[in-house]
Amino acid sequence: MLIIQSPKNTLRRDNELLYAVINPEPNFQKKEKECFSLKFKRFKNSETFRYWPLLLIPLAFWLGNHFAIVVNQTDSLPQKVWVMALDQKPKRNDYVAFKPSIKSGLSQGIILHKQVLGVSGDIVTLKGRDFYINGNYIATAKTHSLVGELLTLGATGTLKEGQYYVSTPNIDSFDSRYEKMGWINADQLLGVLYPLW
């Protein structure tokens, strides 16, 4: 009777049961499948794990150049903490952070948070003290500020490229309804806001 023996190590090691039948070894035990926690424990004890915090340096650098955390300190919007995507072009209904113009009379160090309601090509109209964008009601302008200052109505017409009509639902919001704030230009924008809480 002719017996053909298979040479050792001719099968892949990952098929251990078949390997054991063809290549019998003393005290063979099937390797148990590792769960995630065992794999992580092995990774944690490896040399690679010691250096993984170094990966956080480029990640932090990238995040710092593209995002920021900002806090809204006024009552104009209900959300207080936001993530700001820097240098992102806003779309309609996005929230934005921007610096007010000099004509607003506000400190140049202040940062305002408003919602973009009008973008390039939109038509802003006025009926009485009610503002409309493309025929849709936006808000009513007050006659006087909280400190009693007379408020002049903001501009109407078609928004050009790089111009934005901004507002908030708050009745006392100082926004594009008023001449001093006016429409916002792209060079005033700091970034687009996404609420955290």
Side-chain angles (χ1 to χ4, degrees), residues 71-83:
V71 178
N72 179 21
Q73 297 178 342
T74 70
D75 294 325
S76 61
L77 293 170
Q79 301 90 343
K80 296 300 177 190
V81 182
W82 305 75
V83 172

Side-chain angles (χ1 to χ4, degrees), residues 66-72 77-97 112-116 190-197:
H66 293 84
F67 298 94
I69 300 292
V70 294
V71 178
N72 179 21
L77 293 170
Q79 301 90 343
K80 296 300 177 190
V81 182
W82 305 75
V83 172
M84 180 169 63
L86 305 172
D87 303 319
Q88 183 176 325
K89 186 177 180 180
K91 305 180 297 296
R92 189 189 321 280
N93 296 324
D94 279 349
Y95 291 91
V96 292
L112 299 176
H113 308 127
K114 307 286 180 188
Q115 187 176 22
V116 173
L190 299 174
V192 175
L193 298 173
Y194 298 94
L196 287 179
W197 66 82

